[in-house]
Amino acid sequence: MNPAVTDATSTPPKVNLLGMTRSQMEEFFVSIGEKKFRAAQVIKWIHQLGVDNFDEMSNVSKALRSKLAQIAEIRPPEVTYKEYSNDGTRKWVLKVGENSMVETVLIPAEGGRKTLCVSSQVGCALDCSFCSTGKQGFQRDLSIAEIIGQVWVANRSYFEENQDYDSRERAITNVVMMGMGEPLLNFDAVVPAMELMLDDYAYGLSKRRVTLSTSGIVPMIDKLSEVIDVSLAVSLHAPNDELRNELVPINKKYPLKELTAACRRYLSKFQEEGGRRKVTIEYVMLAGVNDQAIHAKQLIQLLKDVPSKINLIPFNPFPQAPYGCTPRSEILAFQRTLTEAGYICTIRTTRGDDIDAACGQLVGKVQDRTRRAERWQQKLKAGEIVRSVQ
Ligand code: SAH
Ligand code: SF4
């Protein structure tokens, strides 16, 4: 048979419903001659109940279920590696293409809070000097399904042994777009994914509990405030342009003056809350680099007109990192200076150390292991290591 003929008549690829917002799914149902309200039903099954096959959707007619099974699918990213830590941290490495992996981490806290750290890109183009994701370079943007799929996978991990739909509760309470990648450089996928996080028919998280973290892509901060209302975190890491140019190179394009002005504009969009809203300022503690008393003073000055709370992040070392983490006593002293100046200043607790849950670390290790396994396989095939196996 002529293969070209086979191609022309082969069935088209199935539509992945996982990555559709409610309005996109409504359009989809209308386009296949069905009623709009099906979208709300199906979204609930997918996102609230963690279902990935149409047969389980008992309030959808059998005829529609089989029609859907022919043209659509619910396809989450493939989990290549997962690890659950003793402190409750859970971590997944997801395969998102031939040689691409991203990670997502769930961090529990007191009071039942479960925060999921979600990735937006494979690698990152911005090359911050202290970031292992930046060292990988940029590979590609994640799709809406690959982004929301991380929330889906994490949520479903709590349903796995629970057959009873009625007792399935949404497990994730908070999402931070603080995994791999720069979310504002994948705007068109990140915004719809966050819409699903906020949608009551999907994850129903409050806008305070969905946080986008950016290294400071100024025009996109403005654009964000026009389309969705979520919490904003800014990776500042340095209180003056000279140092920030070195640590966060995108600062050369969007310097501090422009960035702080963008933060103020973002907050001013949400004035109805009586000015209580704040931007979270992330500040990684690099020993001897940005952690001196002078830096704390400059930070106080820089942020005086930006309603903000500051989160100090102990630096997570990775191989070849040119930095060390500030000693605990000095982090505490830095915090004290900021608190005394009237700021809310917290120190991020490092969780999941036993499974490398700290930013960007696990993918590197899994990739190393995969490469090692591949090399091993090749050598085995070539007969090079027969003796060592015996
Ligand atoms: N690209 C976005 C979001 C992902 S990075 C951003 O930069 O904000 C999430 C956070 O982890 C950022 O604040 C980033 O600066 C921080 N981070 C990156 N590498 C780190 C490391 N080795 N140790 C501690 N924090 C790190
Ligand atoms: Fe990219 Fe954020 Fe890492 Fe900078 S810190 S390289 S922006 S992921």
Side-chain angles (χ1 to χ4, degrees), residues 118-178:
V118 168
S119 296
S120 56
Q121 297 180 314
V122 186
C124 181
L126 298 183
D127 199 19
C128 300
S129 59
F130 52 86
C131 174
S132 70
T133 304
K135 299 293 145 219
Q136 291 175 30
F138 173 72
Q139 286 184 43
R140 74 167 174 86
D141 284 331
L142 295 184
S143 66
I144 307 172
E146 287 164 343
I147 298 170
I148 202 66
Q150 298 169 54
V151 187
W152 188 93
V153 164
N155 221 23
R156 191 161 127 137
S157 71
Y158 289 90
F159 299 156
E160 263 156 16
E161 282 144 35
N162 185 355
Q163 297 296 319
D164 176 13
Y165 296 125
D166 292 337
S167 61
R168 288 184 175 182
E169 282 177 19
R170 286 172 271 191
I172 312 302
T173 62
N174 297 60
V175 172
V176 289
M177 297 298 306
M178 289 184 190

Side-chain angles (χ1 to χ4, degrees), residues 34-235:
E34 300 290 336
K35 294 266 184 330
K36 260 188 185 177
F37 78 94
R38 294 290 179 199
Q41 282 182 324
V42 170
I43 281 209
K44 275 189 177 180
W45 280 108
I46 299 175
H47 296 288
Q48 289 185 8
L49 301 168
V51 161
D52 63 356
N53 83 69
F54 299 109
D55 279 344
E56 288 178 62
M57 301 183 179
S58 54
N59 58 356
V60 175
S61 74
K62 267 201 172 154
L64 179 52
R65 276 189 260 161
S66 70
K67 180 173 167 183
L68 285 173
Q70 277 167 20
I71 56 172
E73 61 184 348
I74 301 151
R75 187 164 36 83
E78 186 190 323
V79 177
T80 36
Y81 181 86
K82 66 177 174 190
E83 204 162 316
Y84 298 170
S85 152
N86 296 333
D87 66 9
T89 306
R90 295 184 174 192
K91 178 140 190 166
W92 298 265
V93 174
L94 305 171
K95 194 170 171 203
V96 287
E98 249 328 282
N99 294 311
S100 301
M101 292 186 226
V102 291
E103 61 189 39
T104 185
V105 186
L106 186 127
I107 305 147
E110 283 99 55
R113 193 165 69 174
K114 291 194 182 72
T115 301
L116 189 70
C117 181
V118 168
S119 296
S120 56
Q121 297 180 314
V122 186
C124 181
L126 298 183
D127 199 19
C128 300
S129 59
F130 52 86
C131 174
S132 70
T133 304
K135 299 293 145 219
Q136 291 175 30
F138 173 72
Q139 286 184 43
R140 74 167 174 86
D141 284 331
L142 295 184
S143 66
I144 307 172
E146 287 164 343
I147 298 170
I148 202 66
Q150 298 169 54
V151 187
W152 188 93
V153 164
N155 221 23
R156 191 161 127 137
S157 71
Y158 289 90
F159 299 156
E160 263 156 16
E161 282 144 35
N162 185 355
Q163 297 296 319
D164 176 13
Y165 296 125
D166 292 337
S167 61
R168 288 184 175 182
E169 282 177 19
R170 286 172 271 191
I172 312 302
T173 62
N174 297 60
V175 172
V176 289
M177 297 298 306
M178 289 184 190
M180 302 170 76
E182 169 49 55
L184 288 186
L185 292 182
N186 184 15
F187 195 84
D188 292 346
V190 165
V191 169
M194 292 195 305
E195 277 172 23
L196 277 166
M197 294 168 200
L198 301 177
D199 189 343
D200 281 339
Y201 289 90
Y203 297 94
L205 300 178
S206 90
K207 57 192 180 186
R208 294 290 186 106
R209 289 165 178 252
V210 175
T211 303
L212 181 139
S213 171
T214 178
S215 56
I217 316 292
V218 166
M220 301 311 281
I221 295 177
D222 289 321
K223 205 169 157 200
L224 185 72
S225 70
E226 283 159 20
V227 296
I228 196 164
D229 179 3
V230 290
S231 298
L232 182 68
V234 170
S235 292

Side-chain angles (χ1 to χ4, degrees), residues 194-351:
M194 292 195 305
E195 277 172 23
L196 277 166
M197 294 168 200
L198 301 177
D199 189 343
D200 281 339
Y201 289 90
Y203 297 94
L205 300 178
S206 90
K207 57 192 180 186
R208 294 290 186 106
R209 289 165 178 252
V210 175
T211 303
L212 181 139
S213 171
T214 178
S215 56
I217 316 292
V218 166
M220 301 311 281
I221 295 177
D222 289 321
K223 205 169 157 200
L224 185 72
S225 70
E226 283 159 20
V227 296
I228 196 164
D229 179 3
V230 290
S231 298
L232 182 68
V234 170
S235 292
L236 201 73
H237 308 313
N240 63 63
D241 281 320
E242 200 188 349
L243 184 55
R244 195 163 191 267
N245 287 346
E246 201 184 296
L247 302 180
V248 185
I250 194 70
N251 192 68
K252 292 178 203 149
K253 196 161 179 192
Y254 305 115
L256 284 169
K257 202 164 172 234
E258 289 179 29
L259 180 55
T260 48
C263 291
R264 275 195 300 272
R265 283 196 297 277
Y266 191 84
L267 292 174
S268 70
K269 282 264 177 179
F270 308 109
Q271 274 311 342
E272 80 276 11
E273 288 171 47
R276 270 171 310 162
R277 253 173 110 176
K278 293 182 166 57
V279 170
T280 301
I281 299 293
E282 294 160 274
Y283 197 97
V284 67
M285 298 303 286
L286 305 170
V289 176
N290 64 352
D291 61 351
Q292 304 296 298
I294 178 75
H295 299 122
K297 280 204 188 106
Q298 288 176 349
L299 195 55
I300 291 165
Q301 192 59 23
L302 180 74
L303 296 177
K304 68 179 188 325
D305 298 324
V306 185
S308 45
K309 51 187 180 196
I310 301 157
N311 193 213
L312 303 178
I313 314 175
F315 171 64
N316 287 314
F318 55 91
Q320 277 101 47
Y323 306 108
C325 182
T326 306
R328 184 82 189 165
S329 59
E330 291 176 34
I331 298 182
L332 288 168
F334 200 89
Q335 180 191 35
R336 206 173 316 117
T337 310
L338 293 166
T339 316
E340 279 167 12
Y343 287 94
I344 299 170
C345 179
T346 49
I347 301 173
R348 184 173 298 169
T349 39
T350 314
R351 305 293 298 269

